[in-house]
Amino acid sequence: MKIILTAEFVRRYGELPERIQQKSEKREKIFRENPFHPSLNTEKLEPRQKDIWSIRVDRRYRILFRFVDGETALFLTVGPHDWIYKLQF
């Protein structure tokens, strides 16, 4: 799986604590191999027609993304669970 990063994702990623950045990198490697690996808890968010998905970095942090096609994903943003699920794309 190829991953494209938005400017929003890059900015938010840079603001994360170093330990969360390291966890995110591990999750990204798993995602590249299998975006639906059970440890990622990949889920499609509501409203479903917006085609926005999330993967779990850890209990508190999530990455939001969209599938561009069968081989590419666009990482939209990353941040704490409580904040990220309030966003509207």
Side-chain angles (χ1 to χ4, degrees):
M1 178 73 54
K2 179 181 173 188
I3 298 172
I4 300 169
L5 306 176
T6 63
E8 162 79 7
F9 180 90
V10 172
R11 185 173 65 81
R12 296 283 183 186
Y13 178 85
E15 296 170 356
L16 294 174
E18 186 176 335
R19 67 180 179 76
I20 301 302
Q21 288 180 0
Q22 292 170 352
K23 286 181 177 184
S24 295
E25 290 170 13
K26 289 179 184 176
R27 295 297 191 206
E28 178 187 326
K29 288 178 185 176
I30 295 169
F31 183 89
R32 286 182 187 276
E33 294 296 317
N34 178 3
F36 293 98
H37 188 279
S39 69
L40 297 175
N41 294 93
T42 306
E43 64 177 340
K44 192 171 189 180
L45 304 181
E46 298 289 339
R48 297 179 81 69
Q49 66 269 23
K50 290 198 174 191
D51 290 325
I52 297 177
W53 298 74
S54 77
I55 58 173
R56 182 180 291 178
V57 174
D58 66 8
R59 292 180 67 109
R60 184 166 176 229
Y61 288 87
R62 303 290 186 274
I63 294 173
L64 290 188
F65 70 96
R66 282 192 173 118
F67 286 108
V68 176
D69 57 35
E71 298 178 14
T72 308
L74 177 66
F75 277 22
L76 301 168
T77 194
V78 58
H81 175 273
D82 294 343
W83 169 80
I84 217 162
Y85 287 118
K86 292 178 184 175
L87 295 177
Q88 298 198 10
F89 283 91

